[in-house]
Amino acid sequence: MDDLYREEILQHYKRPHNWGPMDTPDLEAEDHNPLCGDQLKVMLRVDDAGKVEEVRFEGHGCAISQASASMASDEVKGMPVDDLLRLDRSFVLDLLGIDISATRMKCALLSLKVLKAAGLGHEVDWEPETPEASAPQSPAERDRV
């Protein structure tokens, strides 16, 4: 199953959805991941009901950061901005569908960070840090506890 998700990530990276500039967006934000240099700008057009009518993004970075932006951009179309602000890390991680290492977590979550910043009109903090590894412990690790 991971192979299917990996292939989808590569497809979004090679041919990102909603990529490119937007003339006169209603909301926009940009940010970067200082650990690896990924950069992302998100532009939103919002209808009179407060729903995301159109979304565009630009930037550069690794396959994970760019694919998560492409995938998230598809999902937030038609979403009320208030709902967008309530999204959490599981939104992006579920879209990606693969285990993301702690070192790649900020790559994956950059799109969420910038989407929320656009919705709020100011920079936001990173989602809470990655929880402790949930991989099963080895017998030696269990014995130390």
Side-chain angles (χ1 to χ4, degrees):
M1 191 68 154
D2 267 7
D3 288 342
L4 244 126
Y5 283 109
R6 282 186 175 86
E7 182 59 32
E8 186 173 4
I9 289 167
L10 285 174
Q11 289 305 313
H12 276 275
Y13 176 63
K14 291 176 184 175
R15 292 178 192 83
H17 302 179
N18 308 301
W19 172 260
M22 177 189 291
D23 292 330
T24 62
D26 297 315
L27 303 169
E28 66 182 310
E30 57 186 301
D31 210 333
H32 71 287
N33 178 353
L35 299 176
C36 66
D38 293 345
Q39 293 184 335
L40 188 65
K41 177 179 182 176
V42 169
M43 297 148 283
L44 304 173
R45 186 161 292 122
V46 180
D47 67 16
D48 293 337
K51 292 183 178 180
V52 176
E53 188 173 67
E54 184 181 357
V55 58
R56 305 291 288 173
F57 76 95
E58 297 178 309
H60 62 83
C62 68
I64 295 292
S65 73
Q66 299 302 292
S68 71
S70 176
M71 296 165 119
S73 70
D74 286 341
E75 294 295 317
V76 300
K77 282 184 186 173
M79 183 181 287
V81 172
D82 289 343
D83 289 354
L84 182 151
L85 297 175
R86 287 191 281 277
L87 295 173
D88 64 12
R89 65 192 296 121
S90 64
F91 166 72
V92 172
L93 298 178
D94 289 348
L95 287 175
L96 291 170
I98 60 170
D99 287 331
I100 303 293
S101 68
T103 57
R104 302 303 300 267
M105 191 59 68
K106 285 190 176 180
C107 300
L109 297 177
L110 181 60
S111 60
L112 179 62
K113 184 177 192 285
V114 179
L115 278 167
K116 285 185 166 188
L120 287 169
H122 60 78
E123 190 174 316
V124 298
D125 289 331
W126 289 99
E127 287 293 303
E129 289 300 315
T130 308
E132 291 297 316
S134 57
Q137 292 180 326
S138 70
E141 289 172 320
R142 282 193 299 264
D143 290 342
R144 284 185 284 187
V145 176

